[in-house]
Amino acid sequence: MNSSEESAVSGMSAGRSAMRMGPAELVQAAAMARRFYLEGKSKIQIAEEFGVSRFKVARVLETALERDLVRIEIRVPAELDAERSDALRARYGLRHAVVVESPAEAEETPDPENLGEVAADLLGELVNEGDVLGLAWGRSTIHMAAALDRLPPCTVVQLTGVYDAGTAERGSVEAVRRAAQVSGGDAHPIYAPMLLPDEATAEALRHQTGIARAFEYFDKVTVACVSIGSWEPGISTVHDMLSDEERAHYASLGVAAEMSAHLFDAEGRRVGRDLGERCITVKTDQLRRVPEVVAIAGGQRKGPAIDAVLRSGLVTSLVTDTSAADYLMTAGTTPRSALNRADPDGP
């Protein structure tokens, strides 16, 4: 056998050796993998135990993965879409983005109820003892409050008036009470309509004792939970409360979305600021100072509205569904980071 044949045989042997592990190697690799992945020991600790270098341990662990001796699975609950969540967080520069599978039977339904359930779990993570939690009116925040089962002790304040004062027991007032009950903290509801006939009436209501007391907490809110509405019937409470003439006026200003009775165009700029003066609601500059503002909104029909509000810089985190997420991932130009919270309209 000449030297070239010997080299070929040697190469074949090396290849077979690289493809197979002997029983001793398998046992050792399994033991090292168990120490590292299950027992949480460092590579240095494992090296000391087996009398080898930490580089040898690293090679063995890498080989164990390559040979399927160790399989690593990243599993989240079936209703969560981890890939879309991470992509959406990166695209908008959000602190948190959680995307939930859209119900197959209700793809066109805005704000499916399961969004509220996931948002309730997220608030359980974000709220700390001593925080002030603010809740704005919205179907999604009402669903979220109903699903709450854990919150550390915190104060809960209502951030907007109600859509219809006659439904307070089933709406945002009850949501505030529910959250406070779960947390064991104080509740500060607002017993007033969201939209008033004129600025003077709204200003008078803001000075009523109970409402003024709630307003005093707006600058202390550390976590806020808000809803987003599209500018169309049935998907925006503010839209539905206005006259036809008023709707046409604000539509002419380019309104694409509303949040807490504040209107935004497609680029996230505030429009129709006069409407806010007629509303019982937290101001946008107050929301901008809140460390964590979580928006709950979903459904394909709400995609453009969610995009507009995210571009405003008022929201830091989002709970949405796959229908809306698919729209958001292809919506127009790449937005600025949501965590860059300077007012795009200037001071």
Side-chain angles (χ1 to χ4, degrees), residues 4 18 45 178 184 203 217 244 255:
S4 61
Q45 289 173 314
R178 168 65 183 167
E203 184 63 19
Y217 279 92
D244 290 341
V255 60

mmCIF file of all heavy atoms in Angstrom, residues 4 18 45 178 184 203 217 244 255:
data_model
loop_
_atom_site.group_PDB
_atom_site.id
_atom_site.type_symbol
_atom_site.label_atom_id
_atom_site.label_comp_id
_atom_site.label_asym_id
_atom_site.label_seq_id
_atom_site.Cartn_x
_atom_site.Cartn_y
_atom_site.Cartn_z
ATOM 1 N N SER A 4 -0.211 7.328 -0.636
ATOM 2 C CA SER A 4 -1.491 7.962 -0.966
ATOM 3 C C SER A 4 -2.655 7.073 -0.568
ATOM 4 O O SER A 4 -3.691 7.556 -0.075
ATOM 5 C CB SER A 4 -1.572 8.282 -2.463
ATOM 6 O OG SER A 4 -1.483 7.097 -3.230
ATOM 7 N N ALA A 18 -15.373 10.233 13.191
ATOM 8 C CA ALA A 18 -16.093 11.480 13.448
ATOM 9 C C ALA A 18 -17.601 11.275 13.433
ATOM 10 O O ALA A 18 -18.340 12.019 14.042
ATOM 11 C CB ALA A 18 -15.704 12.524 12.393
ATOM 12 N N GLN A 45 -16.930 23.631 36.180
ATOM 13 C CA GLN A 45 -17.261 22.636 37.210
ATOM 14 C C GLN A 45 -17.276 21.222 36.623
ATOM 15 O O GLN A 45 -16.796 20.276 37.248
ATOM 16 C CB GLN A 45 -18.628 22.967 37.825
ATOM 17 C CG GLN A 45 -18.634 24.201 38.700
ATOM 18 C CD GLN A 45 -20.042 24.570 39.148
ATOM 19 O OE1 GLN A 45 -20.985 24.591 38.359
ATOM 20 N NE2 GLN A 45 -20.187 24.848 40.439
ATOM 21 N N ARG A 178 -62.112 45.540 39.792
ATOM 22 C CA ARG A 178 -61.635 44.156 39.711
ATOM 23 C C ARG A 178 -60.124 44.089 39.904
ATOM 24 O O ARG A 178 -59.610 43.265 40.657
ATOM 25 C CB ARG A 178 -62.022 43.565 38.351
ATOM 26 C CG ARG A 178 -61.355 42.242 37.987
ATOM 27 C CD ARG A 178 -61.749 41.115 38.904
ATOM 28 N NE ARG A 178 -61.025 39.899 38.539
ATOM 29 C CZ ARG A 178 -60.965 38.830 39.292
ATOM 30 N NH1 ARG A 178 -61.589 38.794 40.465
ATOM 31 N NH2 ARG A 178 -60.289 37.765 38.900
ATOM 32 N N GLY A 184 -55.385 43.949 45.947
ATOM 33 C CA GLY A 184 -55.518 44.348 47.345
ATOM 34 C C GLY A 184 -55.200 45.813 47.568
ATOM 35 O O GLY A 184 -55.023 46.262 48.704
ATOM 36 N N GLU A 203 -64.414 70.612 31.738
ATOM 37 C CA GLU A 203 -63.553 71.238 32.746
ATOM 38 C C GLU A 203 -64.235 71.252 34.109
ATOM 39 O O GLU A 203 -63.588 71.027 35.143
ATOM 40 C CB GLU A 203 -63.205 72.668 32.307
ATOM 41 C CG GLU A 203 -62.245 73.395 33.223
ATOM 42 C CD GLU A 203 -60.884 72.733 33.309
ATOM 43 O OE1 GLU A 203 -60.530 71.933 32.414
ATOM 44 O OE2 GLU A 203 -60.158 73.013 34.291
ATOM 45 N N TYR A 217 -53.645 61.171 40.359
ATOM 46 C CA TYR A 217 -52.776 59.989 40.216
ATOM 47 C C TYR A 217 -52.191 59.845 38.815
ATOM 48 O O TYR A 217 -51.293 59.030 38.608
ATOM 49 C CB TYR A 217 -53.554 58.721 40.576
ATOM 50 C CG TYR A 217 -53.644 58.476 42.059
ATOM 51 C CD1 TYR A 217 -54.712 58.964 42.790
ATOM 52 C CD2 TYR A 217 -52.648 57.753 42.727
ATOM 53 C CE1 TYR A 217 -54.801 58.751 44.154
ATOM 54 C CE2 TYR A 217 -52.723 57.530 44.090
ATOM 55 C CZ TYR A 217 -53.801 58.042 44.797
ATOM 56 O OH TYR A 217 -53.877 57.826 46.161
ATOM 57 N N ASP A 244 -72.526 62.855 12.874
ATOM 58 C CA ASP A 244 -72.021 62.642 11.510
ATOM 59 C C ASP A 244 -71.147 63.803 11.067
ATOM 60 O O ASP A 244 -70.114 63.610 10.403
ATOM 61 C CB ASP A 244 -73.195 62.469 10.538
ATOM 62 C CG ASP A 244 -73.929 61.152 10.745
ATOM 63 O OD1 ASP A 244 -73.337 60.242 11.370
ATOM 64 O OD2 ASP A 244 -75.082 61.032 10.288
ATOM 65 N N VAL A 255 -57.556 61.519 10.343
ATOM 66 C CA VAL A 255 -57.490 60.631 11.501
ATOM 67 C C VAL A 255 -57.523 59.162 11.057
ATOM 68 O O VAL A 255 -58.312 58.780 10.202
ATOM 69 C CB VAL A 255 -58.633 60.927 12.501
ATOM 70 C CG1 VAL A 255 -59.987 60.739 11.854
ATOM 71 C CG2 VAL A 255 -58.527 60.037 13.736
#
